[in-house]
Amino acid sequence: MLMNTNHFSGEEENPFDRAVVMATKASLCIKGFALLVSVLVAVPTRAQSIGVCYGMLGNNLPPPSEVVSLYKSNNIARMRLYDPNQAALQALRNSNIQVLLDVPRSDVQSLASNPSAAGDWIRRNVVAYWPSVSFRYIAVGNELIPGSDLAQYILPAMRNIYNALSSAGLQNQIKVSTAVDTGVLDKSYPPSAGAFSSAAQAYLSPIVQFLASNGAPLLVNVYPYFSYTGNPGQISLPYALFTASGVVVQDGRFSYQNLFDAIVDAVFAALERVGGANVAVVVSESGWPSAGGGAEASTSNARTYNQNLIRHVGGGTPRRPGKEIEAYIFEMFNENQKAGGIEQNFGLFYPNKQPVYQISF
């Protein structure tokens, strides 16, 4: 505390001294406020456009309550949950983690054919936890278009789920979509030539109209890793890992330094061709394996890809500059009940919750 020494000498207070004291106090207050702001800014915040997929195909994984704590301690703001696991949903209450919740494939046909079943599904798995669990999207099916027998049921199930959300008054807060892989593209190079295959388009054209009318995004699983390993003679590793030093692909006025942007923009171009110019893309999976394959499946490459993905998505793509791309890293844990090889090695963490490699959100 600043004191006026004139009060201790018995002398009358000098107006000039009082002005100096008041100015000094004002200066200290301003500096203190600036310091407070700088401290608040320095507190780590979650990368809001990035989530992590939480799979459960392992017999040695930590319980959901510990998983949610691990998300929070690593500042992971969003989670993709592949089925409405009740223990996981309970653990998510009041966590402030936003959730992309899948309708598992086993439920798709019944939800498509029975509106009351869709209403019950939403009541049990969404309304029962809302708003203490912050649901962001419902994904009706994962990679079922175009080849699965269930593809025909996706749009009817989406409509029934949407109507159930509407009945609960949640249609504006929670968006309904489906997740596809990039196999739905017949053309992806150059990105501006992106187009859906005829088989995929038969399903996706009406789905895109549904998404456009409801302000919902298309969910797309994007893996530069598989593009690179499938065509290493034409695709360089730096281009796949976000480490290319300059433009690799010039597509008219669009310049590409990484494969991720090229793939996402090919999807945007394909959407535009079927009337979905205003439909956003959410990258519902993307990752890189740390082991189990060739030399390219390494902890170094996995760290490089995922860290660069986190840094990159905020800037958008050449076709959608400045529009943040929401993305979900695949995945939280190495899961030992998946097929062997790379499938067991996409995790950011081992089942004992130790990191496979260091990464920052």
Side-chain angles (χ1 to χ4, degrees):
M1 180 179 290
L2 189 66
M3 295 180 289
N4 185 343
T5 56
N6 288 338
H7 288 189
F8 292 89
S9 65
E11 297 174 5
E12 183 176 351
E13 183 177 343
N14 186 312
F16 176 77
D17 290 339
R18 182 170 60 188
V20 170
V21 169
M22 295 303 294
T24 303
K25 286 183 176 181
S27 175
L28 288 172
C29 287
I30 291 170
K31 290 177 180 177
F33 177 75
L35 178 61
L36 176 61
V37 169
S38 69
V39 169
L40 291 173
V41 169
V43 173
T45 57
R46 298 178 182 177
Q48 289 299 318
S49 61
I50 286 286
V52 177
C53 302
Y54 174 22
M56 299 184 183
L57 293 177
N59 59 14
N60 56 355
L61 299 177
S65 59
E66 294 181 16
V67 174
V68 169
S69 295
L70 193 60
Y71 270 69
K72 293 170 69 176
S73 65
N74 283 277
N75 296 309
I76 303 171
R78 292 174 178 162
M79 174 190 291
R80 182 177 182 183
L81 189 62
Y82 289 96
D83 69 86
N85 179 283
Q86 300 299 297
L89 291 173
Q90 190 65 38
L92 282 162
R93 287 189 185 274
N94 302 311
S95 66
N96 293 320
I97 294 171
Q98 296 183 328
V99 179
L100 190 175
L101 177 63
D102 278 50
V103 172
R105 61 187 300 147
S106 58
D107 291 348
V108 170
Q109 185 172 350
S110 64
L111 299 185
S113 58
N114 189 347
S116 65
D120 182 61
W121 196 95
I122 289 296
R123 281 190 294 274
R124 285 186 291 109
N125 301 313
V126 176
V127 175
Y129 295 95
W130 181 271
S132 62
V133 175
S134 178
F135 296 99
R136 188 166 177 80
Y137 309 111
I138 306 294
V140 180
N142 183 46
E143 298 184 350
L144 298 180
I145 295 171
S148 171
D149 292 340
L150 294 172
Q152 62 185 306
Y153 300 110
I154 291 176
L155 182 55
M158 289 171 66
R159 288 182 174 136
N160 285 343
I161 288 291
Y162 174 85
N163 290 336
L165 287 170
S166 295
S167 295
L170 296 175
Q171 74 277 11
N172 293 325
Q173 293 95 326
I174 306 170
K175 299 300 181 180
V176 181
S177 188
T178 188
V180 299
D181 61 27
T182 51
V184 299
L185 294 173
D186 180 50
K187 295 179 181 177
S188 60
Y189 182 85
S192 60
F196 296 124
S197 68
S198 57
Q201 188 168 318
Y203 298 106
L204 285 175
S205 285
I207 286 174
V208 168
Q209 299 312 309
F210 173 90
L211 298 176
S213 65
N214 293 298
L218 180 65
L219 310 178
V220 185
N221 299 339
V222 175
Y223 286 96
Y225 169 81
F226 291 115
S227 299
Y228 166 72
T229 56
N231 194 7
Q234 298 294 319
I235 298 173
S236 72
L237 185 60
Y239 187 53
L241 291 174
F242 298 94
T243 57
S245 59
V247 173
V248 176
V249 171
Q250 189 66 47
D251 180 16
R253 61 190 176 92
F254 301 122
S255 302
Y256 292 92
Q257 285 190 241
N258 66 81
L259 184 54
F260 176 89
D261 280 353
I263 295 171
V264 173
D265 274 0
V267 176
F268 277 126
L271 284 169
E272 291 169 11
R273 285 184 163 80
V274 295
N278 294 323
V279 174
V281 168
V282 167
V283 176
S284 42
E285 289 179 8
S286 193
W288 197 283
S290 60
E296 67 281 346
S298 67
T299 54
S300 175
N301 286 345
R303 180 194 302 112
T304 297
Y305 179 82
N306 285 324
Q307 190 67 74
N308 285 338
L309 177 66
I310 292 168
R311 293 173 179 146
H312 178 77
V313 290
T317 68
R319 201 174 189 90
R320 298 286 190 276
K323 293 187 177 180
E324 186 176 71
I325 296 290
E326 183 176 340
Y328 293 78
I329 292 175
F330 187 84
E331 61 186 330
M332 194 65 173
F333 297 104
N334 286 345
E335 298 173 35
N336 65 0
Q337 291 179 323
K338 289 189 167 183
I342 61 168
E343 290 295 325
Q344 293 188 3
N345 291 283
F346 275 89
L348 301 177
F349 293 88
Y350 295 109
N352 64 4
K353 299 185 290 185
Q354 293 303 303
V356 178
Y357 45 84
Q358 296 297 325
I359 192 168
S360 172
F361 287 86

